[in-house]
Structures are given as C-alpha cells and as structure tokens.
Amino acid sequence: MLPRREKLLHAMVFFHENTRHCHKVKLYKLLHFFDFELYRETGRSPTGLLYYAYPMGPVPKELQNELRDPPADIREAMAVTIAPGDDRDGLLTIRPHIKFDEK
C-alpha cells in the first residue's frame, strides 16, 4: 500500500475513534485541517487528497466517490456504511478493522 494511502486510512480511523459523531462533513473537514496543517509545516500533504470548495466545507471528491463503493484497501481497513440522513449523501458510519498507528 502507498504510504499516503496508509496515512489516509489511519487518519480516518483516528478521527473516528477520537471524535463524537464523525459523519462525512466532519470527517472531510478534519482531513482538510490535517492535510493543510502538515502541508504548512512540511510542504507536503500527508494524504495527497485534492479538496473542492462546497457550501458546507472542503470535499475530497476522490475519497467521496470511493466511500460510495469502497476499494479493497478501504474495505480491509474499515467497514463503511452510508445511510440516508441529513446531508446530501447520507450519514457515514465507519467501523475500523485496524488499530490506529501513529507512524
């Protein structure tokens, strides 16, 4: 697995385990803050995601599309469910299969 991809998956697990109600909009904003803070410090994005400006905040379109039909690496790392809900694409539920690794 690519190092950036691994960092993305572990960041998603971290945010799920350390925040309350980590729905899609919140997850996208947290990933955005994570990426841009480390980009400011190091000049590199840890996840490599590209963000688009949406009314409710930044959206990593590629990840958003992958969460609808998760590829193998996401399915191995976590169970992802999107249920009908308040936001446009529903509420996101993540059940990690991996433990967070801070490396």
Side-chain angles (χ1 to χ4, degrees):
M1 182 182 320
L2 297 172
R4 283 187 173 185
R5 190 65 175 183
E6 189 172 4
K7 288 178 184 176
L8 169 62
L9 297 175
H10 282 279
M12 290 172 66
V13 169
F14 177 83
F15 293 136
H16 169 75
E17 291 177 350
N18 292 283
T19 61
R20 290 176 42 155
H21 311 294
C22 193
H23 51 81
K24 278 192 327 182
V25 173
K26 187 174 192 175
L27 175 65
Y28 295 164
K29 287 180 181 183
L30 290 169
L31 287 170
H32 175 263
F33 289 136
F34 172 60
D35 267 335
F36 279 76
E37 186 62 32
L38 284 173
Y39 181 82
R40 184 182 6 235
E41 292 176 12
T42 65
R44 301 184 84 183
S45 163
T47 67
L49 293 173
L50 297 176
Y51 295 89
Y52 294 84
Y54 274 56
M56 293 182 71
V59 174
K61 286 289 280 183
E62 184 178 329
L63 179 62
Q64 183 178 34
N65 293 335
E66 286 183 352
L67 291 178
R68 289 185 187 120
D69 184 22
D73 63 341
I74 291 179
R75 286 192 317 269
E76 289 173 12
M78 64 196 72
V80 176
T81 307
I82 301 177
D86 298 343
D87 64 59
R88 193 169 152 207
D89 292 324
L91 299 175
L92 175 72
T93 303
I94 296 173
R95 285 187 313 279
H97 300 310
I98 60 173
K99 295 275 188 198
F100 171 68
D101 182 0
E102 65 182 46
K103 295 178 189 174

